[in-house]
Amino acid sequence: CLENTDPRTRGRGIQLLSQVLLQCYSLLQEKEVLHLVLFYENRLQDHHLVIPSVLQGLRALSMCEVLSPGLAVSVLKAIFQEVHVQSLMQLDRHTVYSIITNFMGTREEELKGLGADFTFGFIQVMDGEKDPRNLLVAFQIVHDLITKNYALGPFVEELFEVTSCYFPIDFTPPPSDPHGIQREDLILSLRAVLASTPQFAEFLLPLLIEKMDSDLQSAKLDSLQTLTACCAIYGQKELQEFLPSLWSSLRREVFQTASEKVEAECLAALHGLSACLSRSVLSSDTEDLLDSFLGSILQDCRHHLCEPDMKLVWPSAKLLQAAAGASLRAYHRVTRSVLPLLLEQYTKHPQSSQRRTILEMLLGFLELQQKWGHVEEDESTLLSLRAPICSVVFSALTDPSVQLQLVGIRALIVLGSLQGFLSPSDLELVVDHLIRLALHEEDSQSSEAAMEAAGSLAPIYPKVFSGRMVPRLEEELQSEREEESSRDHCSLQQRCLQALAAVSIHTSIVRETVPVLLQHLRKVQKGSKARNAQDVVSVCQSLHRVALQCQQDAEGCWYYHQTVVPCLLAMAVQAATQESTHPLLGKALLEEEVLAAMVPVISAATTHLSPELAAQSVSHVVPLFLDGEVSFLPQNSFPCSFQPFEDGECLEAQRRLVVLLMAFVCSLPRNVAIPQQERLLRELLALSCSCNCPFTATTAAKCFAGLVNKHPAGQQLDEILQLAVNRMEPGLAEGPRRTQALTLLLWVTKALVLRYHPLSSRLTDKLLGLLGDVELGPAVADGFSLLMAESPDVLHKDCHADVRIMFRQRFFTDNVPKLVQGFHGAGPDMKANYLKGLSHVLNHLPKPVLVTELPTLLSLLLEALSCSDRVVQLSTLSCLQPLLLEAPQIMSLHVDTLVTKFLSLASSPTMAVRIAALRCAHALTSLPTTVLLPYKARVIRALAKPLDDKKRLVRKEAVAARGEW
């Protein structure tokens, strides 16, 4: 074939040889490669039908490691000379680029020996390329030519022209593009070329200035981003000639544009220019370009800052901040001129709205100083203006306008974070202002912002805050003011507690605040007012916040734990033992609401303990509950012994404290051994089944479940679980305590489902069987929510529970078919239980999983909407709403039923159902328009009625839904 006179036949011969070489090029020897290269170079002069196969063979040979020196240059010269590349098909052009890429990767020094001829040859190869697949490779070759220092010689402009003709990229991939090339890929690839060398600057910068003036937003954005990239490698020599034009274009865009994207890119480009000029090394005879560039920016923008009502004030401030933020030198040059002006304007304008604008601009410049941290003595404008700046910020804090106060508080945080800026007397004033705003400012926004500010500054100045703020807060907390109404006093106390928690960021401050909070808790507990319970809850909420803030600091965490946990336990035990002997004392601490507020405090104080310290603590707490061992508690003289697991009517109050045991033991790390664990589990099991108080029984069940979930697998666990099953089954069958037995079953099932324990399926089947029970069925259906939802106090990741990653999906796969089967087999009275259980499971399932299962379950969900149980209705609606957005194609098939059901439920007697139905009616609008049009008039008519609903939240949803329709 290779010697045949017909070019097609010759082409087939060369094609076969090339295909063989592509399979075995790595096996060839040096002489064979030489022989083949000479043959293929000669074939480049053959008929044009043969050329594609010749190029494939050369591509195979370009990958050979045994290529003799000089052959790579010889092949490329032959291609440059003999082949008109741009007349070839796309694939063959791609082959040429591949050959060049291969040689550049392995024969760099040889190719560099060609000098600028290689660059010129490549320019001819690339000139006129249009296919995006080839352009990506060609751009990479140009980038390598430049960054690997190949000689460009006199061809710099030609190389620029051959690549810049594609700028800005205007390419939209076809809808079914199999190659996956995106416009962004081409943009970034071309930008890497254009911004790879300062040699292109004289050609590129005029092009960028021209494209910045384009009407196309995409062209503007691409030009600005390319300019920003160039600034990283240019020096002032490249920029000097073009600075006035560049500044003029950037200023015009920022002053005139309506697009936030264009504005942001202009500011980034200006920042880049300023940074580039800041990097240049000054010699005695060159002009300081940075100074003159910033001078022209100041000249064009400064006067706009004197007009706080004018529309150019913010664009001017942003331009100045972008230029100033590039370097410390630029910052000093701009702030020297701008800060005194802003301070003068602030005093000149008495209106709060104008002052707020000026202070926000000032704040922008202060925030820039944070980048450099310490304020330098010698050249800082800031230090020379310390007094007027503080005066302006402090005056904002006392202004009646809340919005101005909020900006003042933000400015205070920034000033505080500038090391060495605030003097000791300024700091005292700062603390005084924060106390006044936090405690006495009527507007809650300012009060909360002041507390947050105190939390930000406290770790920087722990001595000032622990020495000045904490005593003042303690004083306010203890003061009993006769002239104030009790409501105002409670509000003040509430704010004191919140402020104490907010500043407890640093360990030294925590050591001051925690005793104050505990002292207040004791005082509140001893009182006999009706508000006691609420006051105790408030203190617990503050203690909880402090606990969370201490968690990352080992020393603070242990101090907090050994101070707070024994104190809370002692107070609770005191109250419970008093209750056993004098039933009217210490009542507040035993209320469910108060005990529930103590749980997160003890839990947060325990979860982050090291295993050694946790073991030390558990050795005291567990004996307290099992054996009444009170010696480790502060003030441990109690009226009678503490025996929460003993029988007896008078011990009811003591049994309630098992909730605190739960908070502690269920938050311990899994590797901490619990003393007498088997005995503890048996006691908890007995209490959960036999106690008449629902609160105590549920707590005991949760504590038992939390321990079982973390218990190592093995015989001991199997025995305790068997014991639990033996207690539950008779309790569930009949008798007065069926509800307690069900609660235990639900929590134990959850503990086992989370860790994939084999017994979990047997317990789940037991629950499925109880859905048909007349008495327990509805409670079991609600229990499915408990199984699937995140539990706030036990059995979640933060308290080290054993939670497997996809337990919900597994539960769904194992049990939903059984729920559906049970629904079809149930009597009409029991169907609602199955629907409720199903909707709870679906509601907690990750949405992508739900979408895949939707076709099989949708008919059941629609049936659930007809159920009269409002929990079922609510649960189903909240399940359907996201599905309308995420699976419109499937939902479109049932649009008739959905419209009817949603409109009917929009007039439900239950407000929550009406809101959920209107949200779903709103979500329907995401279905294809053609599907919705037949229903449009009917829906708009029906949604007029809820516009007059007596509840504002319903009216709000109705307005949104009807507007969308």
Side-chain angles (χ1 to χ4, degrees), residues 784-858:
F784 278 89
S785 171
L786 185 151
L787 294 180
M788 299 295 281
E790 195 75 33
S791 160
D793 43 11
V794 291
L795 296 178
H796 59 90
K797 281 248 173 78
D798 290 343
C799 63
H800 313 290
D802 186 353
V803 181
R804 299 302 167 90
I805 191 164
M806 293 172 80
F807 79 90
R808 290 186 179 89
Q809 288 90 318
R810 182 166 173 166
F811 188 86
F812 172 86
T813 311
D814 290 350
N815 297 297
V816 165
K818 297 175 188 173
L819 272 168
V820 173
Q821 189 183 348
F823 169 80
H824 290 306
D829 299 349
M830 293 301 152
K831 282 188 183 292
N833 295 342
Y834 287 91
L835 284 176
K836 191 191 284 189
L838 178 68
S839 62
H840 282 314
V841 174
L842 299 183
N843 233 330
H844 291 95
L845 204 61
K847 292 299 171 268
V849 181
L850 192 48
V851 169
T852 57
E853 300 291 339
L854 192 56
T856 53
L857 294 170
L858 194 53

Side-chain angles (χ1 to χ4, degrees), residues 194-353:
L194 296 178
S196 60
T197 172
Q199 289 175 277
F200 282 169
E202 60 181 304
F203 316 114
L204 177 59
L205 290 172
L207 174 67
L208 293 180
I209 292 167
E210 178 198 329
K211 297 300 180 187
M212 273 188 232
D213 299 346
S214 157
D215 293 335
L216 277 176
Q217 182 171 316
S218 58
K220 280 187 203 291
L221 290 171
D222 202 352
S223 306
L224 291 162
Q225 287 164 346
T226 305
L227 174 60
T228 307
C230 290
C231 288
I233 61 153
Y234 287 3
Q236 72 175 36
K237 177 164 67 77
E238 284 77 27
L239 291 174
Q240 183 162 11
E241 183 190 337
F242 303 99
L243 281 174
S245 309
L246 286 167
W247 163 238
S248 162
S249 295
L250 292 172
R251 181 190 63 211
R252 189 191 60 249
E253 284 303 326
V254 173
F255 280 174
Q256 294 176 5
T257 186
S259 157
E260 286 183 19
K261 277 186 188 170
V262 172
E263 182 187 87
E265 292 302 341
C266 283
L267 297 173
L270 181 60
H271 183 277
L273 287 169
S274 181
C276 176
L277 297 174
S278 301
R279 281 196 304 272
S280 304
V281 179
L282 293 177
S283 57
S284 55
D285 55 341
T286 54
E287 180 196 353
D288 183 353
L289 270 187
L290 176 67
D291 194 65
S292 55
F293 181 58
L294 293 174
S296 55
I297 296 175
L298 284 162
Q299 187 183 339
D300 290 344
C301 295
R302 195 173 178 272
H303 60 278
H304 292 304
L305 302 183
C306 303
E307 310 153 351
D309 290 339
M310 303 297 284
K311 64 175 186 173
L312 293 181
V313 65
W314 268 117
S316 301
K318 286 176 183 173
L319 285 164
L320 286 165
Q321 285 165 8
S327 70
L328 198 51
R329 189 152 67 98
Y331 180 74
H332 288 318
R333 173 73 178 85
V334 174
T335 50
R336 219 174 28 244
S337 169
V338 171
L339 290 188
L341 176 72
L342 289 175
L343 293 167
E344 180 193 321
Q345 291 299 313
Y346 186 91
T347 47
K348 208 183 266 186
H349 291 89
Q351 282 186 341
S352 295
S353 58

Side-chain angles (χ1 to χ4, degrees), residues 496-509:
C496 282
L497 293 170
Q498 288 168 350
L500 281 166
V503 296
S504 303
I505 303 282
H506 192 276
T507 306
S508 67
I509 305 176

